[in-house]
Amino acid sequence: PGITATEYADRRARFAAALPDAAMAVFPAAAQGFMSHDVPFPFHQDADLFYLSGFQEPQSMLACVRPGHGAAASWLLFVLPSDPQQAMWDGPRAGVLGAQQHILPEGHVHAIESAQRILPQLLESHAIRTLLVNRTGAASAMEALRPLVSACELRRVQIVPSAPLVQRLRVRKSAAEARLMWRAGSIAADAFVRAMASSLPAAKRGQIEAVLAARFEFECRLAGAERLAYPCVVAGGGKAVTL
């Protein structure tokens, strides 16, 4: 919300322009964590994949390939296919067609299981010399990248982190980003005031700090925030300055 498809496309264009010739950048999705067998934690997408696409689904992967000799870069997105049975439990996925239409209209969208075949092929067909990827992600993402990384090692392709290049793009904020940051700050400030106002009544009722944390998150969400940026920390008395 607040960032248009056009702005995501502009981010991708700026990133592709900053890539060296004969380079490939790959952004695996964050892993979905589970509290127990089938009870998931709230999902938080990989920051770089989200910045470049706005795509929120796990088990996905974004890639940019820039061939040598000044050829235009191309983008690929790998996603989970649509599944009506799964949708009854988790809600509908974008699927290949939905992601092609709404997320990456200028690129190529494939099912995620084809990534292990397609990416190594592109590595060879475009004579890639540099792979940009963050290798500190979840184990599941690293497993999905194993064929690509193995192909890079075999061909002596240089492997470097992708994060520094994305971070340089994020230094200068767009007007839309500035508006979202201002709105988030205003929501948080108002929520702090309301949480502070409820602290004395909560203390008199013997309620614990978790109640104030819940009040703060409630006020943020009530005002339109999608989620908190980081876990709420509430402490009092001798622990007031302990994080």
Side-chain angles (χ1 to χ4, degrees), residues 35-106:
M35 305 179 197
S36 60
H37 175 65
D38 57 358
V39 181
F41 286 106
F43 178 68
H44 185 73
Q45 184 60 283
D46 173 79
D48 291 346
L49 189 156
F50 182 74
Y51 178 79
L52 292 167
S53 69
F55 196 58
Q56 292 269 34
E57 294 184 16
Q59 292 182 261
S60 57
M61 191 180 299
L62 182 68
C64 181
V65 180
R66 185 174 185 183
H69 310 295
S74 60
W75 286 88
L76 303 93
L77 180 62
F78 301 90
V79 304
L80 284 169
S82 298
D83 183 342
Q85 293 297 320
Q86 166 272 336
M88 296 175 61
W89 298 94
D90 301 328
R93 300 172 183 152
V96 172
L97 294 179
Q100 181 76 73
Q101 181 178 0
H102 300 291
I103 305 298
L104 198 69
E106 82 280 14

Coordinates of all heavy atoms in Angstrom, one line a residue, residues 35-106:
M35 N 5.2 -22.1 14.4 CA 5.1 -22.2 15.8 C 5.0 -23.7 16.2 O 5.6 -24.2 17.2 CB 3.9 -21.5 16.4 CG 3.9 -20.0 16.1 SD 2.4 -19.2 16.8 CE 2.3 -17.7 15.8
S36 N 4.2 -24.4 15.4 CA 4.1 -25.9 15.6 C 3.8 -26.5 14.2 O 4.1 -25.8 13.2 CB 2.9 -26.2 16.5 OG 1.7 -25.6 16.1
H37 N 3.3 -27.6 14.1 CA 3.2 -28.4 12.9 C 2.6 -27.6 11.7 O 3.2 -27.5 10.7 CB 2.3 -29.7 13.1 CG 2.1 -30.4 11.9 ND1 3.1 -31.1 11.1 CD2 0.9 -30.7 11.2 CE1 2.6 -31.6 10.1 NE2 1.3 -31.4 10.1
D38 N 1.5 -27.0 11.9 CA 0.9 -26.2 10.8 C 0.4 -24.8 11.3 O -0.6 -24.3 10.7 CB -0.3 -27.0 10.2 CG -1.4 -27.4 11.2 OD1 -1.2 -27.1 12.4 OD2 -2.4 -28.0 10.9
V39 N 1.0 -24.3 12.3 CA 0.6 -23.0 12.8 C 1.7 -22.0 12.5 O 2.8 -22.0 13.1 CB 0.3 -23.0 14.3 CG1 -0.1 -21.6 14.8 CG2 -0.8 -24.0 14.6
P40 N 1.6 -21.1 11.5 CA 2.7 -20.3 11.0 C 2.9 -19.1 11.9 O 1.9 -18.5 12.4 CB 2.3 -19.9 9.6 CG 0.8 -19.9 9.6 CD 0.4 -21.0 10.6
F41 N 4.1 -18.6 12.0 CA 4.4 -17.3 12.5 C 4.0 -16.3 11.4 O 3.9 -16.6 10.2 CB 5.9 -17.1 12.8 CG 6.4 -17.8 14.0 CD1 7.1 -18.9 13.9 CD2 6.0 -17.2 15.3 CE1 7.6 -19.5 15.1 CE2 6.5 -17.9 16.4 CZ 7.3 -19.0 16.3
P42 N 3.7 -15.0 11.8 CA 3.4 -14.0 10.7 C 4.6 -13.9 9.8 O 5.8 -13.9 10.2 CB 3.3 -12.7 11.5 CG 2.8 -13.1 12.9 CD 3.5 -14.4 13.1
F43 N 4.4 -13.9 8.5 CA 5.4 -13.9 7.5 C 5.9 -12.5 7.2 O 5.2 -11.6 7.0 CB 4.9 -14.6 6.2 CG 6.0 -14.6 5.1 CD1 7.1 -15.4 5.2 CD2 5.8 -13.8 4.0 CE1 8.0 -15.4 4.2 CE2 6.8 -13.8 2.9 CZ 7.9 -14.6 3.1
H44 N 7.3 -12.4 7.2 CA 7.9 -11.1 6.8 C 8.8 -11.4 5.7 O 9.8 -12.1 5.8 CB 8.6 -10.5 8.0 CG 9.2 -9.2 7.8 ND1 8.4 -8.0 7.7 CD2 10.5 -8.8 7.5 CE1 9.2 -7.0 7.5 NE2 10.5 -7.4 7.3
Q45 N 8.5 -10.8 4.5 CA 9.3 -11.0 3.3 C 10.7 -10.5 3.4 O 11.0 -9.5 4.1 CB 8.6 -10.4 2.1 CG 9.2 -10.6 0.7 CD 9.2 -12.1 0.4 OE1 10.1 -12.8 0.9 NE2 8.3 -12.5 -0.5
D46 N 11.6 -11.1 2.6 CA 13.0 -10.6 2.4 C 12.9 -9.2 2.0 O 12.2 -8.8 1.1 CB 13.7 -11.5 1.4 CG 15.1 -10.9 1.1 OD1 16.0 -11.1 1.9 OD2 15.2 -10.2 0.0
A47 N 13.7 -8.3 2.7 CA 13.5 -6.9 2.4 C 13.9 -6.5 1.0 O 13.3 -5.6 0.4 CB 14.4 -6.1 3.5
D48 N 14.9 -7.1 0.4 CA 15.4 -6.7 -0.9 C 14.4 -7.2 -2.0 O 14.1 -6.4 -2.9 CB 16.8 -7.2 -1.2 CG 17.8 -6.5 -0.3 OD1 17.5 -5.5 0.3 OD2 19.0 -7.0 -0.2
L49 N 13.9 -8.4 -1.8 CA 12.9 -8.9 -2.8 C 11.7 -8.0 -2.7 O 11.1 -7.7 -3.8 CB 12.6 -10.3 -2.5 CG 11.7 -11.1 -3.5 CD1 12.0 -12.6 -3.4 CD2 10.2 -10.8 -3.3
F50 N 11.3 -7.7 -1.5 CA 10.1 -6.8 -1.4 C 10.3 -5.4 -1.9 O 9.4 -4.9 -2.6 CB 9.7 -6.7 0.1 CG 8.4 -5.9 0.3 CD1 7.2 -6.5 0.0 CD2 8.5 -4.7 0.8 CE1 6.0 -5.7 0.2 CE2 7.3 -3.9 1.0 CZ 6.1 -4.4 0.7
Y51 N 11.5 -4.9 -1.7 CA 11.8 -3.5 -2.2 C 11.7 -3.5 -3.7 O 11.2 -2.5 -4.3 CB 13.2 -3.1 -1.7 CG 13.6 -1.7 -2.3 CD1 13.1 -0.6 -1.7 CD2 14.4 -1.6 -3.3 CE1 13.4 0.7 -2.1 CE2 14.8 -0.3 -3.8 CZ 14.3 0.8 -3.2 OH 14.7 2.0 -3.7
L52 N 12.1 -4.5 -4.4 CA 12.2 -4.5 -5.9 C 10.9 -5.0 -6.5 O 10.7 -4.8 -7.7 CB 13.4 -5.4 -6.3 CG 14.7 -4.9 -6.0 CD1 15.8 -5.9 -6.2 CD2 15.1 -3.6 -6.8
S53 N 10.0 -5.7 -5.8 CA 8.8 -6.2 -6.4 C 7.5 -6.0 -5.7 O 6.5 -6.0 -6.3 CB 9.0 -7.7 -6.6 OG 9.0 -8.4 -5.4
G54 N 7.6 -5.8 -4.4 CA 6.3 -5.8 -3.6 C 5.7 -7.1 -3.4 O 4.6 -7.2 -2.8
F55 N 6.4 -8.2 -3.8 CA 5.7 -9.5 -3.7 C 5.9 -10.0 -2.3 O 7.0 -10.0 -1.7 CB 6.4 -10.5 -4.7 CG 5.7 -11.7 -4.9 CD1 4.4 -11.7 -5.4 CD2 6.2 -13.0 -4.7 CE1 3.7 -12.8 -5.7 CE2 5.5 -14.1 -4.9 CZ 4.3 -14.1 -5.4
Q56 N 4.8 -10.5 -1.7 CA 4.7 -10.9 -0.3 C 4.7 -12.4 0.0 O 4.5 -12.8 1.1 CB 3.4 -10.3 0.3 CG 3.5 -8.7 0.4 CD 4.0 -8.2 1.7 OE1 4.9 -8.9 2.3 NE2 3.5 -7.1 2.2
E57 N 4.8 -13.2 -1.0 CA 4.6 -14.7 -0.8 C 5.9 -15.4 -0.5 O 7.0 -15.0 -1.1 CB 3.9 -15.3 -2.0 CG 2.5 -14.9 -2.2 CD 1.9 -15.6 -3.4 OE1 2.4 -16.7 -3.8 OE2 0.8 -15.1 -3.9
P58 N 5.9 -16.4 0.4 CA 7.1 -17.2 0.7 C 7.3 -18.1 -0.5 O 6.5 -18.2 -1.4 CB 6.7 -18.0 1.9 CG 5.2 -18.0 1.9 CD 4.8 -16.8 1.3
Q59 N 8.4 -18.9 -0.5 CA 8.8 -19.9 -1.5 C 8.7 -19.2 -2.9 O 8.1 -19.7 -3.8 CB 7.8 -21.1 -1.4 CG 8.1 -21.9 -0.2 CD 7.2 -23.1 -0.1 OE1 6.1 -23.1 0.5 NE2 7.6 -24.2 -0.8
S60 N 9.4 -18.1 -3.0 CA 9.5 -17.4 -4.3 C 10.9 -16.9 -4.5 O 11.7 -17.0 -3.5 CB 8.5 -16.2 -4.3 OG 8.7 -15.3 -3.3
M61 N 11.2 -16.4 -5.7 CA 12.6 -16.0 -5.9 C 12.5 -15.0 -7.1 O 11.9 -15.2 -8.1 CB 13.5 -17.2 -6.3 CG 14.9 -16.9 -6.4 SD 15.9 -18.4 -6.8 CE 15.5 -19.4 -5.4
L62 N 13.3 -13.9 -6.9 CA 13.4 -12.9 -7.9 C 14.8 -12.9 -8.5 O 15.7 -13.0 -7.7 CB 13.0 -11.5 -7.4 CG 13.1 -10.3 -8.3 CD1 11.9 -10.3 -9.3 CD2 13.0 -9.0 -7.5
A63 N 14.9 -12.7 -9.8 CA 16.2 -12.7 -10.4 C 16.3 -11.7 -11.5 O 15.4 -11.4 -12.2 CB 16.6 -14.1 -11.0
C64 N 17.5 -11.1 -11.7 CA 17.8 -10.1 -12.7 C 19.1 -10.6 -13.4 O 20.1 -10.9 -12.8 CB 18.0 -8.7 -12.1 SG 18.4 -7.5 -13.4
V65 N 19.0 -10.7 -14.8 CA 20.1 -11.1 -15.6 C 20.5 -10.0 -16.5 O 19.6 -9.5 -17.3 CB 19.7 -12.4 -16.4 CG1 20.9 -12.8 -17.2 CG2 19.3 -13.5 -15.5
R66 N 21.7 -9.6 -16.5 CA 22.2 -8.5 -17.4 C 23.4 -9.1 -18.2 O 24.5 -9.3 -17.7 CB 22.7 -7.3 -16.6 CG 23.1 -6.2 -17.6 CD 23.5 -4.9 -16.9 NE 23.8 -3.9 -17.8 CZ 24.2 -2.6 -17.5 NH1 24.3 -2.3 -16.2 NH2 24.4 -1.7 -18.4
P67 N 23.1 -9.5 -19.5 CA 24.2 -10.0 -20.3 C 25.3 -9.0 -20.6 O 25.2 -7.8 -20.2 CB 23.4 -10.4 -21.6 CG 22.0 -10.4 -21.3 CD 21.9 -9.3 -20.1
G68 N 26.3 -9.5 -21.2 CA 27.4 -8.6 -21.5 C 27.2 -7.8 -22.8 O 26.1 -7.9 -23.4
H69 N 28.1 -7.0 -23.2 CA 28.1 -6.2 -24.4 C 26.9 -5.2 -24.4 O 26.3 -4.9 -25.5 CB 28.0 -7.1 -25.6 CG 29.1 -8.2 -25.6 ND1 30.4 -7.9 -25.7 CD2 29.0 -9.5 -25.5 CE1 31.1 -9.0 -25.7 NE2 30.2 -10.0 -25.6
G70 N 26.5 -4.7 -23.3 CA 25.5 -3.7 -23.2 C 24.1 -4.1 -23.5 O 23.2 -3.3 -23.7
A71 N 23.8 -5.4 -23.5 CA 22.5 -5.9 -23.8 C 21.5 -5.6 -22.6 O 22.0 -5.4 -21.5 CB 22.5 -7.4 -24.0
A72 N 20.3 -5.5 -22.9 CA 19.3 -5.1 -21.9 C 19.1 -6.2 -20.8 O 19.2 -7.4 -21.1 CB 17.9 -4.8 -22.5
A73 N 18.9 -5.8 -19.6 CA 18.7 -6.8 -18.5 C 17.3 -7.3 -18.6 O 16.3 -6.7 -19.2 CB 18.9 -6.1 -17.2
S74 N 17.1 -8.5 -18.0 CA 15.8 -9.1 -18.0 C 15.5 -9.6 -16.6 O 16.4 -9.9 -15.8 CB 15.7 -10.3 -18.9 OG 16.6 -11.3 -18.6
W75 N 14.2 -9.6 -16.2 CA 13.8 -10.0 -14.8 C 13.0 -11.3 -14.9 O 12.2 -11.5 -15.8 CB 13.0 -8.9 -14.2 CG 13.8 -7.7 -13.8 CD1 14.2 -6.6 -14.5 CD2 14.4 -7.5 -12.5 NE1 14.9 -5.8 -13.8 CE2 15.1 -6.3 -12.5 CE3 14.5 -8.3 -11.3 CZ2 15.8 -5.8 -11.5 CZ3 15.2 -7.8 -10.2 CH2 15.8 -6.5 -10.3
L76 N 13.2 -12.1 -13.9 CA 12.4 -13.3 -13.7 C 11.9 -13.4 -12.3 O 12.6 -13.0 -11.3 CB 13.3 -14.6 -14.0 CG 14.0 -14.7 -15.4 CD1 15.4 -14.1 -15.3 CD2 14.0 -16.1 -15.8
L77 N 10.7 -14.0 -12.2 CA 10.1 -14.2 -10.8 C 9.6 -15.7 -10.8 O 8.9 -16.1 -11.7 CB 9.0 -13.3 -10.6 CG 8.2 -13.4 -9.2 CD1 9.2 -13.1 -8.1 CD2 7.0 -12.4 -9.2
F78 N 10.0 -16.4 -9.8 CA 9.6 -17.7 -9.6 C 8.6 -17.8 -8.4 O 9.0 -17.3 -7.3 CB 10.8 -18.6 -9.3 CG 11.8 -18.6 -10.5 CD1 12.8 -17.7 -10.5 CD2 11.7 -19.5 -11.5 CE1 13.7 -17.7 -11.5 CE2 12.6 -19.5 -12.6 CZ 13.6 -18.6 -12.6
V79 N 7.5 -18.4 -8.6 CA 6.4 -18.4 -7.5 C 5.8 -19.7 -7.4 O 5.9 -20.6 -8.3 CB 5.3 -17.3 -7.9 CG1 5.9 -15.9 -8.1 CG2 4.6 -17.7 -9.1
L80 N 5.1 -19.9 -6.3 CA 4.3 -21.1 -6.1 C 3.1 -21.0 -7.0 O 2.4 -20.0 -7.1 CB 3.8 -21.2 -4.7 CG 4.9 -21.7 -3.6 CD1 4.3 -21.5 -2.2 CD2 5.3 -23.1 -3.9
P81 N 2.7 -22.1 -7.7 CA 1.5 -22.1 -8.5 C 0.3 -22.0 -7.7 O 0.3 -22.2 -6.5 CB 1.5 -23.5 -9.2 CG 3.0 -23.9 -9.1 CD 3.5 -23.4 -7.8
S82 N -0.8 -21.5 -8.3 CA -2.1 -21.5 -7.6 C -2.5 -22.9 -7.2 O -2.3 -23.8 -7.9 CB -3.2 -20.8 -8.5 OG -2.8 -19.5 -8.9
D83 N -3.2 -22.9 -6.1 CA -3.6 -24.2 -5.5 C -5.0 -24.0 -4.8 O -5.0 -23.5 -3.7 CB -2.6 -24.8 -4.6 CG -2.9 -26.2 -4.0 OD1 -4.1 -26.6 -4.1 OD2 -2.0 -26.9 -3.5
P84 N -6.1 -24.4 -5.4 CA -7.4 -24.2 -4.8 C -7.6 -24.8 -3.4 O -8.2 -24.3 -2.5 CB -8.4 -24.8 -5.8 CG -7.7 -24.7 -7.1 CD -6.2 -25.0 -6.8
Q85 N -7.0 -26.0 -3.3 CA -7.1 -26.7 -2.0 C -6.3 -25.9 -0.9 O -6.8 -25.7 0.2 CB -6.5 -28.1 -2.1 CG -7.3 -29.0 -3.0 CD -8.7 -29.2 -2.4 OE1 -8.9 -29.4 -1.2 NE2 -9.7 -29.2 -3.3
Q86 N -5.1 -25.5 -1.2 CA -4.3 -24.7 -0.3 C -5.0 -23.4 0.1 O -5.0 -22.9 1.2 CB -2.9 -24.4 -0.8 CG -2.1 -23.4 -0.1 CD -2.4 -22.0 -0.7 OE1 -2.8 -21.8 -1.9 NE2 -2.1 -20.9 0.1
A87 N -5.7 -22.8 -0.9 CA -6.3 -21.5 -0.8 C -7.4 -21.5 0.3 O -7.8 -20.5 0.9 CB -6.9 -21.0 -2.1
M88 N -8.0 -22.7 0.5 CA -9.1 -22.8 1.5 C -8.5 -22.6 2.9 O -9.2 -22.2 3.8 CB -9.7 -24.2 1.5 CG -10.4 -24.5 0.2 SD -11.0 -26.3 0.1 CE -12.1 -26.3 1.5
W89 N -7.2 -22.8 3.1 CA -6.6 -22.7 4.4 C -5.8 -21.4 4.5 O -5.8 -20.7 5.6 CB -5.6 -23.8 4.7 CG -6.3 -25.2 4.7 CD1 -6.5 -26.0 3.7 CD2 -7.0 -25.7 5.9 NE1 -7.2 -27.1 4.1 CE2 -7.5 -27.0 5.4 CE3 -7.2 -25.3 7.2 CZ2 -8.2 -27.8 6.3 CZ3 -7.9 -26.2 8.0 CH2 -8.4 -27.4 7.6
D90 N -5.0 -21.0 3.5 CA -4.1 -19.9 3.6 C -4.5 -18.7 2.8 O -3.8 -17.7 2.8 CB -2.7 -20.3 3.2 CG -2.1 -21.5 4.0 OD1 -2.5 -21.5 5.2 OD2 -1.4 -22.3 3.5
G91 N -5.6 -18.8 2.0 CA -5.9 -17.7 1.1 C -5.3 -18.0 -0.3 O -4.4 -18.7 -0.4
P92 N -5.8 -17.3 -1.3 CA -5.3 -17.5 -2.6 C -3.9 -17.0 -2.8 O -3.5 -16.0 -2.2 CB -6.3 -16.8 -3.5 CG -6.8 -15.7 -2.6 CD -6.9 -16.3 -1.3
R93 N -3.1 -17.7 -3.7 CA -1.8 -17.2 -4.1 C -2.0 -16.4 -5.4 O -3.0 -16.6 -6.1 CB -0.8 -18.3 -4.3 CG -0.6 -19.2 -3.1 CD 0.2 -20.4 -3.6 NE 0.5 -21.3 -2.5 CZ 0.7 -22.7 -2.6 NH1 0.6 -23.2 -3.8 NH2 0.9 -23.4 -1.5
A94 N -1.0 -15.6 -5.8 CA -1.0 -14.9 -7.0 C -0.9 -16.0 -8.2 O -1.5 -15.8 -9.2 CB 0.2 -13.9 -7.1
G95 N -0.1 -17.0 -8.0 CA 0.2 -17.9 -9.1 C 1.0 -17.3 -10.2 O 1.3 -16.1 -10.2
V96 N 1.3 -18.1 -11.2 CA 2.2 -17.7 -12.3 C 1.4 -16.6 -13.1 O 2.0 -15.5 -13.3 CB 2.5 -18.8 -13.2 CG1 3.2 -18.3 -14.4 CG2 3.4 -19.8 -12.5
L97 N 0.2 -16.8 -13.4 CA -0.5 -15.8 -14.2 C -0.8 -14.5 -13.4 O -0.6 -13.4 -14.0 CB -1.9 -16.4 -14.7 CG -1.8 -17.6 -15.6 CD1 -3.2 -18.1 -16.0 CD2 -1.0 -17.2 -16.9
G98 N -1.2 -14.6 -12.2 CA -1.4 -13.4 -11.4 C -0.1 -12.6 -11.2 O -0.1 -11.4 -11.2
A99 N 1.0 -13.3 -10.9 CA 2.3 -12.6 -10.7 C 2.7 -11.9 -12.0 O 3.3 -10.8 -12.0 CB 3.3 -13.5 -10.2
Q100 N 2.5 -12.6 -13.1 CA 2.9 -12.0 -14.4 C 2.1 -10.7 -14.7 O 2.6 -9.7 -15.2 CB 2.6 -13.0 -15.5 CG 3.0 -12.5 -16.9 CD 4.5 -12.6 -17.2 OE1 5.1 -13.6 -17.3 NE2 5.1 -11.4 -17.2
Q101 N 0.8 -10.7 -14.4 CA -0.1 -9.6 -14.6 C 0.2 -8.4 -13.7 O 0.2 -7.3 -14.1 CB -1.5 -10.0 -14.6 CG -2.5 -8.9 -14.9 CD -3.9 -9.4 -14.9 OE1 -4.2 -10.5 -14.6 NE2 -4.9 -8.5 -15.1
H102 N 0.3 -8.7 -12.4 CA 0.3 -7.7 -11.4 C 1.7 -7.3 -10.8 O 1.9 -6.2 -10.3 CB -0.6 -8.1 -10.2 CG -2.0 -8.3 -10.7 ND1 -2.8 -7.2 -11.1 CD2 -2.8 -9.4 -10.8 CE1 -4.0 -7.7 -11.5 NE2 -4.0 -9.0 -11.2
I103 N 2.6 -8.3 -10.8 CA 3.9 -8.1 -10.1 C 5.0 -7.8 -11.1 O 5.8 -6.9 -11.0 CB 4.3 -9.3 -9.3 CG1 3.2 -9.6 -8.3 CG2 5.6 -9.0 -8.5 CD1 2.9 -8.4 -7.3
L104 N 5.2 -8.6 -12.2 CA 6.3 -8.5 -13.1 C 5.8 -8.5 -14.5 O 6.2 -9.4 -15.3 CB 7.3 -9.6 -12.8 CG 8.7 -9.4 -13.4 CD1 9.4 -8.3 -12.6 CD2 9.5 -10.7 -13.3
P105 N 5.0 -7.5 -15.0 CA 4.5 -7.6 -16.3 C 5.5 -7.5 -17.4 O 5.3 -7.9 -18.5 CB 3.5 -6.4 -16.4 CG 4.0 -5.5 -15.3 CD 4.5 -6.4 -14.2
E106 N 6.7 -6.9 -17.1 CA 7.7 -6.7 -18.1 C 8.7 -7.8 -18.1 O 9.7 -7.8 -18.9 CB 8.5 -5.4 -17.9 CG 9.6 -5.4 -16.8 CD 9.1 -5.3 -15.4 OE1 7.9 -5.5 -15.1 OE2 9.9 -5.1 -14.5

